[in-house]
Amino acid sequence: MDPLVAAIDQGTSSTRFLVFNAKTAEVMSLHQVEINQSFPKEGWVEEDPKEIMQSVYECMERTCEKLSQLNIDISNIKAVGVTNQRETTLVWDKETGEPLYNAIVWLDLRTQSTVESLINKAPGKNKNHLKHKTGLPISTYFSAVKLRWLLDNVDEVRQAVLSERAMFGTVDSWIIWCLTGGKNGGVHCTDVSNASRTMLFNIHSLDWDPELCRYFDVPMKILPKVRSSSEIYGWMKSSSLAGVPISGCLGDQSAALVGQMCFQEGQAKNTYGTGCFLLRNTGTKPLMSDHGLLTTVAYKLGKDEPACYALEGSVAIAGAVVRWLKDNLGIVKSSSEIEKLAAAVGTSYGCYFVPAFSGLYAPYWEPSARGIICGLTQFTNRNHLAFAALEAVCFQTREILDAMNQDSGVPLTELQVDGGMTSNRLLMQLQADILCIPVVQPTMSETTALGAAMAAGAAEGVGVWSLSPSHLPHVTSEKYEPQINSDESEFRFSRWKKAVQRSMNWETTEPCCNSNGVGNKMNAAPWGVPPPPSPTRADP
C-alpha cells in the first residue's frame, strides 16, 4: 500500500485529525471534535489547554479506529504534521506538565490598554514601531502582549518563571511537547511560521530577538527552540501511533498556502475559517506593506532550505459571525442554514453588518472599533441580516485584496480559496461578484491539513512525499465567475466602507474605576474562579 501521512489540525473552533495517501493526496479518514471557547469577561476569549490535548488524542484514536474498519494498517502512517490556530498563547509548568492558565486566544482583547500605552510610548505614536524586525503592527492579535498580560496578572505564571519551571508556547508547541513525552522529555519547539506571529521573533535573522524580548520584558529562557517547518522534531510517545515521527509544523494559514501549492512568488490563497486570511507568496525576500498588511514567514521546508515569506491580510471575524448569529442571537440553528436564509432574499436590502467584535484587523488595525449593523428599516428581517453577514465576509476580503494589489503592484486575476465556509456556494458567488474576479475552489477542501501532511511527509528522514513541481498531485477545482456589473459592486463596496467608518473609535481603554469604585483594569480572577460580573453600561 502507498505510504500514509497524518495531520493534526488544531483550529480555533475544532480539532481534526486527517490521514492522507502520500502519493495521491487523497483523504483516507478523518475525525473532528469541537472545542469550547469561554468568554469570562467582555472581550476575553479563552480555551482550556487540557481540553485541546484531549481533543487531539480523541481525534487520533477515532481516526485510527476508522482506518482499521477500512482494513487499512495504521503502521502505514509514516509521519505526523501539526497545524494550528496561530498567536494563541499558553504557559505551562514543565515539571508537572500542567497549564498555568487557560490559553488566551488570538481574538482576545484584554490587552487593549497595554497596546494603547505601548503605541503612545512609541516614537511618533507609531503602531508600526517594531515592524522593521517583526513585520507586524503592535496589536492585541499577537502573542507577546498576551504573554506580558499573563506575566503581569497570573501569580502562578510569575512564580513558575522565577523558579525556572515555566514554558511558553503557541498551540503547536504545546501539542508537540505533550505528544513527545510532556514532563518526561517532551520537545519544546516551534516553527518559523508560528514564531513569526509572536512579535518576539526577528523575521530577518529567523530567531528570537533579544531587543524585542527586552522591549516586552519577556525572559528568553521560557521560549521554545525555533525549527524549520519540515524536519523530525521528535517521536510520538503514546497512543496508537507511538514511535511515529512528528516532522511537520506550520501555522494554519501557512499550511493552507502549502496545501494550495502556492510555492511560486505571486501565488495567493484566501482561507475562510473563524477569521479570514489572504496570503500571497513573496518569495525569499520579506516585502513590507504600505497598506496595512502583515509581513510574515510563510514556511521553511527543511533545515537547509531558505525561508519563504508572505504578505498577509488578516480579518478577525468570518465564520465566527455565523457562530455568533447561531449561538448569541439564535437566528440560525446550524451554520449551514445561513445559506438558505440569505438565498431566500438574495439581497441585504441596504443593511450592512461590520462584525468588528475584536476590533478591526487588516487593513485598519483599529482595536477601538466594535461591531455594528446599520441601514436597518422596518422591512429588515433575519434573512437580510444573514445576507449582510455573508456580504461582510466578502467585503472584508475585498479590502485586503485591494491592499495586496497596491502593495505588490500586480493585481490578482483570480482568487484561490479554501476553508470551512467555502462549502457555502452563495458566499463563493458573492465573493466573485464583490471582487469582480473569478474565485477558484479546489474540490478537496482540506488544504490546511494537507499542507501540514506535505511538510511532514517531505521531511528529511521521512521522505515519503515529494514537493517537486512534477510530483505535486493534480487538484480539480470549481470556478465562480462574477455575475453582476462592476458599478453595482463598487456602489455596495463604498456603502460598506462608510459603515466601517461608523464602527471606529467606539471603545477606548476602560476608565480606572467602575461603579463600585474598584479599579477595572481587566485583572484576572484566579483561574477557575468566575470573574465578578462586568458593570452594566448605560445605553450610549
Side-chain angles (χ1 to χ4, degrees):
M1 185 182 175
D2 289 339
L4 306 176
V5 179
I8 296 161
D9 178 358
Q10 205 299 301
T12 316
S13 54
S14 72
T15 299
R16 307 159 81 234
F17 186 74
L18 299 92
V19 175
F20 295 90
N21 179 314
K23 295 286 177 271
T24 64
E26 181 192 353
V27 179
M28 307 307 289
S29 185
L30 74 135
H31 191 76
Q32 175 167 344
V33 171
E34 282 218 349
I35 293 287
N36 292 305
Q37 292 174 359
S38 57
F39 308 95
K41 289 189 188 180
E42 188 186 341
W44 292 29
V45 190
E46 295 179 1
E47 291 180 352
D48 178 350
K50 289 170 124 173
E51 185 193 338
I52 289 174
M53 275 321 297
Q54 207 175 329
S55 71
V56 169
Y57 284 118
E58 185 182 337
C59 286
M60 290 197 306
E61 294 307 320
R62 290 290 90 81
T63 305
C64 288
E65 284 168 19
K66 289 177 186 179
L67 287 171
S68 298
Q69 286 161 11
L70 294 166
N71 291 323
I72 295 170
D73 187 346
I74 61 170
S75 68
N76 285 313
I77 297 174
K78 303 302 179 193
V80 175
V82 174
T83 180
N84 56 289
Q85 51 171 315
R86 303 170 305 169
E87 300 95 16
T88 295
T89 300
L90 298 95
V91 180
W92 65 93
D93 184 318
K94 66 181 175 190
E95 288 174 14
T96 64
E98 291 293 308
L100 296 169
Y101 192 77
N102 272 337
I104 300 182
V105 176
W106 56 278
L107 285 163
D108 186 279
L109 284 178
R110 76 189 67 192
T111 55
Q112 190 180 333
S113 56
T114 312
V115 166
E116 285 178 14
S117 68
L118 286 171
I119 292 170
N120 285 334
K121 281 184 214 153
K125 298 191 175 182
N126 179 9
K127 69 176 95 151
N128 292 319
H129 172 53
L130 306 174
K131 195 172 176 180
H132 64 290
K133 284 189 171 195
T134 63
L136 313 171
I138 299 170
S139 161
T140 58
Y141 181 22
F142 308 110
S143 311
V145 283
K146 301 178 197 298
L147 176 54
R148 185 67 255 149
W149 186 92
L150 287 167
L151 292 164
D152 288 339
N153 292 287
V154 182
D155 275 341
E156 291 86 344
V157 172
R158 257 201 308 271
Q159 292 306 322
V161 169
L162 289 173
S163 56
E164 303 200 349
R165 290 176 293 113
M167 284 183 162
F168 154 78
T170 41
V171 171
D172 55 308
S173 301
W174 169 240
I175 291 173
I176 293 171
W177 186 78
C178 290
L179 291 178
T180 54
K183 61 183 178 181
N184 302 312
V187 176
H188 189 213
C189 69
T190 187
D191 91 298
V192 289
S193 71
N194 278 296
S196 73
R197 313 297 294 191
T198 58
M199 294 205 90
L200 301 170
F201 183 77
N202 185 313
I203 61 171
H204 308 284
S205 69
L206 298 178
D207 212 344
W208 302 119
D209 189 291
E211 199 179 284
L212 290 169
C213 290
R214 276 197 299 277
Y215 183 85
F216 289 104
D217 196 16
V218 165
M220 291 186 77
K221 60 180 177 288
I222 72 173
L223 305 176
K225 183 173 167 53
V226 183
R227 315 271 289 264
S228 80
S229 314
S230 177
E231 61 178 271
I232 296 176
Y233 313 111
W235 287 264
M236 300 279 266
K237 281 290 183 288
S238 60
S239 85
S240 305
L241 298 177
V244 176
I246 300 174
S247 52
C249 179
L250 287 159
D252 52 7
Q253 303 313 320
S254 289
L257 195 72
V258 171
Q260 285 261 32
M261 328 259 173
C262 296
F263 294 123
Q264 303 301 313
E265 192 175 329
Q267 288 184 303
K269 66 88 210 173
N270 195 32
T271 300
Y272 299 76
T274 298
C276 209
F277 302 89
L278 176 61
L279 271 74
R280 183 173 189 146
N281 188 328
T282 62
T284 53
K285 290 194 178 67
L287 178 66
M288 290 294 164
S289 169
D290 296 321
H291 299 93
L293 302 181
L294 311 176
T295 303
T296 201
V297 182
Y299 53 79
K300 184 180 191 298
L301 294 174
K303 276 186 209 178
D304 304 319
E305 294 297 313
C308 283
Y309 295 85
L311 271 180
E312 174 175 322
S314 325
V315 168
I317 303 293
V321 76
V322 182
R323 195 167 176 168
W324 182 80
L325 289 174
K326 176 168 76 77
D327 296 347
N328 295 35
L329 297 195
I331 282 179
V332 289
K333 289 190 178 65
S334 68
S335 298
S336 54
E337 200 188 329
I338 193 164
E339 184 173 4
K340 286 194 206 93
L341 278 184
V345 284
T347 170
S348 69
Y349 210 79
C351 169
Y352 288 82
F353 187 166
V354 182
F357 302 155
S358 293
L360 287 166
Y361 283 17
Y364 302 101
W365 299 107
E366 189 48 75
S368 70
R370 285 296 177 273
I372 61 161
I373 300 169
C374 52
L376 296 171
T377 66
Q378 282 179 306
F379 184 73
T380 311
N381 62 31
R382 67 187 191 136
N383 300 61
H384 301 117
L385 203 52
F387 195 95
L390 294 182
E391 266 193 326
V393 175
C394 300
F395 288 134
Q396 290 181 105
T397 298
R398 165 79 191 264
E399 290 193 298
I400 53 181
L401 186 81
D402 285 357
M404 199 160 276
N405 287 341
Q406 287 174 291
D407 274 326
S408 67
V410 185
L412 282 178
T413 54
E414 60 178 35
L415 183 65
Q416 285 177 239
V417 299
D418 59 77
M421 287 189 91
T422 58
S423 62
N424 185 323
R425 299 178 68 84
L426 174 63
L427 177 72
M428 293 296 95
Q429 185 56 55
L430 268 175
Q431 188 66 86
D433 290 346
I434 286 165
L435 296 180
C436 306
I437 59 171
V439 165
V440 181
Q441 179 197 2
T443 327
M444 207 289 284
S445 58
E446 306 294 352
T447 48
T448 302
L450 176 61
M454 288 164 69
E460 190 182 336
V462 177
V464 296
W465 204 307
S466 170
L467 299 182
S468 73
S470 59
H471 286 102
L472 291 176
H474 174 69
V475 179
T476 56
S477 56
E478 182 172 3
K479 190 180 268 199
Y480 293 84
E481 299 281 353
Q483 289 179 354
I484 63 172
N485 70 46
S486 57
D487 288 350
E488 187 191 337
S489 180
E490 291 304 321
F491 172 74
R492 278 154 62 180
F493 185 51
S494 66
R495 292 290 292 266
W496 156 263
K497 287 177 116 162
K498 202 164 150 187
V500 169
Q501 292 306 318
R502 300 269 201 281
S503 76
M504 292 205 195
N505 302 311
W506 185 264
E507 191 71 47
T508 50
T509 308
E510 297 192 39
C512 68
C513 294
N514 62 25
S515 53
N516 308 321
V518 178
N520 193 18
K521 280 287 184 197
M522 291 185 164
N523 284 327
W527 197 27
V529 176
S534 297
T536 48
R537 284 206 182 83
D539 286 337

